[in-house]
């Protein structure tokens, strides 16, 4: 199961029916010359069709809604593992930021040019 799926069960069925209904409406409106209405219905049909086929909805994601129901515990475990990995990586990066220049004693921020001086200490490129 993909952890990005958040549309399932009845929600998915409803979206499938909406997609079908909107495509019929879109075709009818387009045939009768109501282009704006037909276009909007067509766009809606595409969105709901996308939700129903992929099981993913951006709105659900933004609202932290998950209608897939059972079988999501595995995904939740994956999410937690991802979070820890990210946090570790972040901590490592933060530590690297506290490199201090051996010449002026100022911290060397990521992006500043730096390099070893004649004694092999890391200093700002501008510092002697
Ligand atoms: Zn310096």
């Amino acid at each position: 199961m993909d952890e990005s799926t958040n549309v399932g069960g009845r929600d998915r069925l409803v979206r499938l029916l909406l997609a079908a209904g909107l495509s019929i409406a879109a075709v009818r409106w387009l045939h009768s010359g109501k282009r704006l209405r037909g276009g909007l219905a067509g766009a809606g049909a595409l969105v709901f069709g996308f939700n129903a086929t992929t099981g993913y909805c951006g709105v659900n994601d933004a609202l932290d809604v998950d209608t897939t129901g059972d079988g999501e515990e595995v995904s939740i475990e994956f999410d937690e593992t991802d979070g820890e990995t990210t946090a570790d990586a972040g901590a490592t990066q933060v530590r690297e930021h506290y490199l201090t220049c051996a010449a002026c004693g100022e911290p060397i921020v990521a992006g500043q040019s730096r390099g070893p001086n004649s004694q092999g200490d890391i200093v700002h490129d501008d510092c002697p």
Side-chain angles (χ1 to χ4, degrees), residues 2-61:
D2 191 344
E3 62 216 84
S4 67
T5 57
N6 54 19
V7 179
R10 198 166 292 178
D11 188 19
R12 198 167 178 175
L13 187 68
V14 167
R15 283 167 201 261
L16 197 64
L17 292 173
L18 277 171
L22 281 172
S23 9
I24 292 165
V27 169
R28 283 189 186 167
W29 278 327
L30 287 173
H31 269 280
S32 57
K34 289 165 182 162
R35 285 192 189 171
L36 181 64
R37 218 185 271 188
L40 287 173
L46 281 177
V47 170
F48 286 122
F50 172 82
N51 294 160
T53 47
T54 63
Y56 173 77
C57 172
V59 176
N60 275 17
D61 205 11

Side-chain angles (χ1 to χ4, degrees), residues 101 104 124 127:
C101 171
C104 70
H124 293 108
C127 290

Side-chain angles (χ1 to χ4, degrees), residues 5 9-10 13 22 39 42 45 66 69 76 94 99-100 105 109 111 113 115 118:
T5 57
R10 198 166 292 178
L13 187 68
L22 281 172
D66 193 326
I76 290 162
V94 167
L99 254 178
T100 47
V109 184
S113 52
S118 50

Side-chain angles (χ1 to χ4, degrees), residues 51-123:
N51 294 160
T53 47
T54 63
Y56 173 77
C57 172
V59 176
N60 275 17
D61 205 11
L63 298 176
D64 209 14
V65 170
D66 193 326
T67 54
T68 50
D70 298 332
E72 273 302 296
E73 282 159 42
V74 179
S75 303
I76 290 162
E77 274 172 39
F78 279 135
D79 286 345
E80 280 171 6
T81 314
D82 284 351
E84 280 165 27
T85 313
T86 315
D88 286 347
T92 313
Q93 277 187 335
V94 167
R95 235 170 280 138
E96 281 172 8
H97 281 245
Y98 286 107
L99 254 178
T100 47
C101 171
C104 70
E106 297 283 321
I108 298 170
V109 184
Q112 279 182 321
S113 52
R114 60 176 197 252
N117 65 4
S118 50
Q119 279 114 44
D121 294 320
I122 303 294
V123 296

